[in-house]
Amino acid sequence: MSRENGMYYMPESKAKKVCSDGEFQFAAIGLDHGHIYGMTKGLIEAGAEVKWVYDKDPEKVERFIKAFPTAKKARSEDEILMDNSVKLVASAAIPSERCDIGLKAMDAGKDYFADKPPMTTWQQLEKAKEKVRKTNRKYAVYYGERLHNEASVYAGQLVEKGAIGRVIQVLGMGPHREGKGRPDWFYEKDKFGGILCDIGSHQIEQFLFFTGAKDAKVQSAKVANYNHKQYPTFEDFGDVTLIGDNGATGYFRLDWFTPDGLGTWGDGRLFILGTDGYIELRKYIDVARENAPDHVYLVNKDGEFFIDVSGKVGFPFFGDLILDSLNRTENAMTQEHIFKAIELALEAQTKAIKVE
């Protein structure tokens, strides 16, 4: 697990395997973003086996195989797509290329698991929706800031139990460290989709999940390039205000300004306000107090509580996704929810005012 660079965030989990050995085989196509390691590890911990890997860059392939020795080097995407034993294809290709890989995977009779953002344009979203309708395959997305963080998982359990009443507002902060050695595509908007489409999709997914909203209106959105003028289309800051169809409100802020002195790649926080209390998540660090993740603060009618959930909750999404693929169920995350999160992210990106 990298605490310096969120690109290679790969938390540990003592997951319960949901399938027998060899029952659920998957492949990785496109290794441009390090999230593919967290995606792959989460599936393996839940009982899956990675059978194949393909990327145009042989060095990326070798690093992946070193981390996951069961993966065989494929000669092409087609070699993977023609293998009927492969039930799912996972991809963290360049964001603008993720949708095309998914369309081919679904045409080949396989479910698809994309890193966020799962696409970067409205046209890609419509193609993905149509392909899901036509093939009845799944287009899953790795919204890791909720799915691969135990504080977020536990907060969902608290909300479901009614610990803070009806959720009426979610406030999220998603700062990231730029670090060194980012690839060229990272700075090209037509490749990463814009900051609200990219890391903003995390925050919108969380807003929909914790509030229970099925849809939302983008009330305002802003983006800026404050400190990367050498990359004219890059965006290093953004924020969005939302109103859900159930009356809940949301605000989130994103940036690429995590200072070098912070002990992890970003001080990701989430505040969930309910009618009977509130929850604060300090996801990756408790600044100047404890350099460890997964801190949950709860205040309600019963008092004030601090809960350290690191290593105690796990990541049920991956097992649920495997079972959904095997049983054709929809328990990990509904397709409607998956597409709505990126739809609103694209809308926010489209509507955003550029601040100079």
Side-chain angles (χ1 to χ4, degrees):
M1 171 179 168
S2 173
R3 290 185 55 75
E4 295 302 315
N5 188 336
M7 190 169 181
Y8 293 98
Y9 180 65
M10 191 168 59
E12 297 286 338
S13 172
K14 297 178 181 178
K16 178 181 178 182
K17 293 188 176 183
V18 300
C19 58
S20 57
D21 292 346
E23 184 181 3
F24 190 86
Q25 296 184 323
F26 72 101
I29 297 177
L31 311 177
D32 293 281
H33 199 294
H35 280 170
I36 193 65
Y37 287 85
M39 296 161 68
T40 300
K41 190 169 186 293
L43 288 170
I44 290 173
E45 287 175 342
E49 178 186 324
V50 57
K51 184 176 181 180
W52 293 102
V53 59
Y54 175 76
D55 190 275
K56 295 176 183 177
D57 185 341
E59 290 185 9
K60 288 188 176 74
V61 171
E62 292 302 325
R63 286 198 298 269
F64 186 89
I65 292 174
K66 185 176 181 180
F68 306 108
T70 65
K72 295 186 291 185
K73 186 189 307 182
R75 290 167 291 184
S76 66
E77 292 182 9
D78 286 342
E79 185 170 15
I80 292 171
L81 298 177
M82 290 188 296
D83 185 344
N84 292 331
S85 70
V86 173
K87 292 181 168 58
L88 177 144
V89 170
S91 179
I94 294 171
S96 60
E97 300 174 5
R98 290 171 188 169
C99 184
D100 285 345
I101 294 171
L103 300 180
K104 289 186 284 187
M106 290 187 286
D107 274 337
K110 305 177 192 316
D111 292 322
Y112 184 54
F113 183 30
D115 186 19
K116 66 79 221 162
M119 62 269 301
T120 57
T121 69
W122 291 103
Q123 294 82 358
Q124 289 175 341
L125 177 58
E126 290 308 311
K127 286 181 180 180
K129 287 181 176 180
E130 177 59 28
K131 192 66 71 176
V132 167
R133 285 192 291 267
K134 181 179 178 181
T135 64
N136 199 33
R137 307 315 301 179
K138 297 182 182 297
Y139 196 118
V141 177
Y142 180 64
Y143 292 119
E145 288 191 20
R146 182 175 69 83
L147 304 175
H148 223 168
N149 178 265
E150 289 185 284
S152 298
V153 174
Y154 186 69
Q157 296 171 359
L158 289 174
V159 169
E160 185 177 12
K161 292 175 182 176
I164 59 171
R166 174 192 170 196
V167 174
I168 55 175
Q169 206 249 4
V170 174
L171 188 158
M173 289 181 282
H176 285 61
R177 175 176 284 136
E178 179 186 357
K180 298 178 181 179
R182 293 280 182 172
D184 291 343
W185 63 260
F186 174 82
Y187 299 100
E188 300 172 19
K189 188 174 180 179
D190 63 337
K191 301 287 181 61
F192 72 87
I195 194 169
L196 303 182
C197 172
D198 181 16
I199 52 180
S201 62
H202 274 305
Q203 299 291 332
I204 292 175
E205 190 280 326
Q206 291 176 104
F207 167 79
L208 294 173
F209 174 79
F210 286 115
T211 64
K214 300 297 183 183
D215 200 353
K217 293 180 180 179
V218 177
Q219 293 297 109
S220 66
K222 300 188 294 291
V223 296
N225 182 354
Y226 286 120
N227 202 42
H228 293 79
K229 303 302 184 183
Q230 70 274 35
Y231 305 111
T233 66
F234 188 61
E235 295 167 351
D236 54 24
F237 177 90
D239 69 6
V240 173
T241 302
L242 300 163
I243 298 180
D245 58 1
N246 58 0
T249 67
Y251 171 83
F252 64 85
R253 187 201 78 209
L254 313 162
D255 67 77
W256 287 99
F257 293 114
T258 294
D260 290 343
L262 188 73
T264 189
W265 56 269
D267 184 13
R269 298 198 185 194
L270 197 77
F271 299 81
I272 307 168
L273 176 64
T275 53
D276 299 325
Y278 62 90
I279 297 168
E280 178 188 348
L281 308 182
R282 302 183 187 181
K283 293 185 178 184
Y284 309 112
I285 193 171
D286 201 346
V287 174
R289 179 177 176 272
E290 188 174 349
N291 189 2
D294 302 311
H295 292 121
V296 178
Y297 292 84
L298 167 66
V299 182
N300 62 11
K301 60 182 175 57
D302 297 318
E304 308 166 5
F305 305 94
F306 165 71
I307 311 106
D308 178 358
V309 298
S310 183
K312 301 172 184 175
V313 181
F315 312 110
F317 168 81
F318 298 96
D320 288 343
L321 178 60
I322 291 170
L323 292 176
D324 281 346
S325 184
L326 290 172
N327 302 326
R328 312 317 297 167
T329 50
E330 201 175 53
N331 296 314
M333 190 183 295
T334 68
Q335 192 67 69
E336 179 184 12
H337 178 90
I338 289 166
F339 282 150
K340 181 57 66 175
I342 187 60
E343 176 187 319
L344 291 170
L346 288 169
E347 182 181 348
Q349 191 70 58
T350 301
K351 289 183 174 180
I353 297 169
K354 186 168 184 180
V355 181
E356 298 295 340

